[in-house]
Amino acid sequence: MHNYDHEFNLRRRHPFGRVHMVTNQLQSLWARTTMTCHLDHAYGATNGQTVDIFPATQPCAPVLLFIHGGYFRALDKSQYSYIARPYVAAGFTVAVMNYDLAPGVSIGEIIQQNLAGFEWLKQNIHSWNGDANKIILCGHSVGAFLVAKIVQHAVVMKDSECIGAQILLSGIFDLTKVRQSYLNQALSLNESEINASPIFTDCYQQPETMILVGGDETAEFIRQSERYHQKMLACRTRSEYHCLEDLNHYTVSRLLASKYNFLYHKICSLVR
């Protein structure tokens, strides 16, 4: 069996990625210190099922929900509070969601938690000036996987009209190769979880989709983004794909820190 460690070992691939992670943490701390925020609201029974909310100043605001990556086994919403600053200023209510991590829970359970978190958000976001009918979903790495699962579930349940778009950054959409890497020591993927990969699930009637990946990412990350975009097009979903030259797995998500790039303008345009 082929080994895919080299495709998923991002710290070895991008040794300066830790600098960007520290920048995320510092800017996130500053955001929580200086902005109005409501932290650690529970959407489920376990410690990991929480969400941080940065409310818009006006009611009926569009909502930007962000889901972090970390290969299902690492990272925390507190590292991504920095996203709130440009988007609250643009009139959004911003929510950043956590979930329990492997190996403490299975990937199937993580998917179910994120589905539950989205349902909680729809029912409660009005309390923080958010409009539950104007939600933009954004995920990075396996966060993109989880966003795709939320959207697919919403379509099946005929409840996707509230989703204005999904923004998928440096995503994993096929867990087949993940199982053939060092990551499976923590994830213990089974066939059911592999088959739940977004790439194997129907994508008809999806909301508008934007897929971004860094040109300096590994071949597997680029391949998965390209393949998911092609699946979207085959399913007649309006999908936009960008392979961004000179950006890598860490710097793609850093686009969310600023209003001076095309991603910011695209997200803002989706709710006008």
Side-chain angles (χ1 to χ4, degrees), residues 52 58 62-63 68 70 72 79 100 105 110 129 161-163 173 178 203-204 227 242:
D52 293 345
Q58 300 295 323
V63 178
H68 70 79
F72 301 112
Q79 296 168 270
D100 288 315
V105 294
I110 290 172
N129 288 339
E161 291 183 0
C162 64
I163 302 173
F173 307 104
V178 175
C203 287
Y204 285 98
R227 188 180 173 203
H242 298 272

Side-chain angles (χ1 to χ4, degrees), residues 64 77 89 150 169 198 214 220:
L64 177 63
K77 61 181 169 50
I150 290 171
L169 308 178
E220 182 63 17

Side-chain angles (χ1 to χ4, degrees), residues 166 203-209 229 231-240:
Q166 57 180 334
C203 287
Y204 285 98
Q205 298 180 316
Q206 298 261 324
E208 184 171 352
T209 299
H229 170 62
K231 180 180 177 69
M232 287 289 184
L233 295 180
C235 292
R236 299 179 182 177
T237 290
R238 184 179 176 184
S239 180
E240 186 176 331

Side-chain angles (χ1 to χ4, degrees), residues 2-264:
H2 188 74
N3 184 286
Y4 283 87
D5 286 0
H6 63 289
E7 295 287 354
F8 297 114
N9 191 334
L10 298 176
R11 290 190 175 184
R12 179 174 294 178
R13 169 82 175 194
H14 310 296
F16 288 100
R18 297 184 185 185
V19 175
H20 298 295
M21 296 294 286
V22 170
T23 302
N24 289 354
Q25 291 176 315
L26 292 174
Q27 290 186 345
S28 292
L29 177 60
W30 182 242
R32 293 192 302 275
T33 301
T34 60
M35 298 178 67
T36 299
C37 55
H38 304 269
L39 307 178
D40 297 322
H41 284 275
Y43 65 83
T46 63
N47 291 337
Q49 295 180 74
T50 58
V51 60
D52 293 345
I53 301 171
F54 298 78
T57 58
Q58 300 295 323
C60 300
V63 178
L64 177 63
L65 171 62
F66 179 81
I67 303 177
H68 70 79
Y71 289 139
F72 301 112
R73 77 204 209 298
L75 303 185
D76 186 87
K77 61 181 169 50
S78 64
Q79 296 168 270
Y80 295 91
S81 304
Y82 70 86
I83 294 168
R85 188 171 300 280
Y87 289 97
V88 170
F92 285 81
T93 287
V94 175
V96 188
M97 194 158 73
N98 254 11
Y99 45 90
D100 288 315
L101 301 175
V105 294
S106 69
I107 306 310
E109 175 60 24
I110 290 172
I111 293 171
Q112 291 304 312
Q113 287 185 9
N114 278 267
L115 296 179
F118 181 64
E119 289 302 315
W120 182 93
L121 188 85
K122 288 192 300 179
Q123 296 298 320
N124 293 279
I125 200 62
H126 65 275
S127 298
W128 296 279
N129 288 339
D131 186 340
N133 293 310
K134 298 178 183 177
I135 302 176
I136 305 296
L137 293 170
C138 181
H140 177 241
S141 195
V142 299
F145 175 107
L146 293 167
V147 164
K149 294 305 298 179
I150 290 171
V151 172
Q152 290 176 347
H153 182 263
V155 170
V156 169
M157 300 303 294
K158 302 185 185 304
D159 191 28
S160 62
E161 291 183 0
C162 64
I163 302 173
Q166 57 180 334
I167 311 296
L168 308 175
L169 308 178
S170 301
I172 290 177
F173 307 104
D174 179 357
L175 295 178
T176 305
K177 304 298 190 296
V178 175
R179 185 166 59 174
Q180 299 174 39
S181 77
Y182 72 97
L183 293 168
N184 205 44
Q185 295 175 13
L187 304 183
S188 300
L189 291 160
N190 59 43
E191 283 299 322
S192 175
E193 291 163 345
I194 297 291
N195 292 334
S197 298
I199 197 67
F200 301 132
T201 309
D202 180 31
C203 287
Y204 285 98
Q205 298 180 316
Q206 298 261 324
E208 184 171 352
T209 299
M210 174 179 271
I211 299 173
L212 280 70
V213 66
D216 193 31
E217 302 211 39
T218 66
E220 182 63 17
F221 272 97
I222 294 173
R223 184 191 73 84
Q224 291 210 15
S225 286
E226 289 177 341
R227 188 180 173 203
Y228 199 60
H229 170 62
Q230 291 302 321
K231 180 180 177 69
M232 287 289 184
L233 295 180
C235 292
R236 299 179 182 177
T237 290
R238 184 179 176 184
S239 180
E240 186 176 331
Y241 171 77
H242 298 272
C243 186
L244 304 173
E245 186 178 358
D246 298 329
L247 294 188
N248 61 46
H249 199 76
Y250 296 94
T251 53
V252 165
S253 61
R254 290 292 304 158
L255 291 173
L256 293 167
S258 171
K259 64 180 181 179
Y260 300 109
N261 58 70
F262 81 100
L263 178 58
Y264 170 86

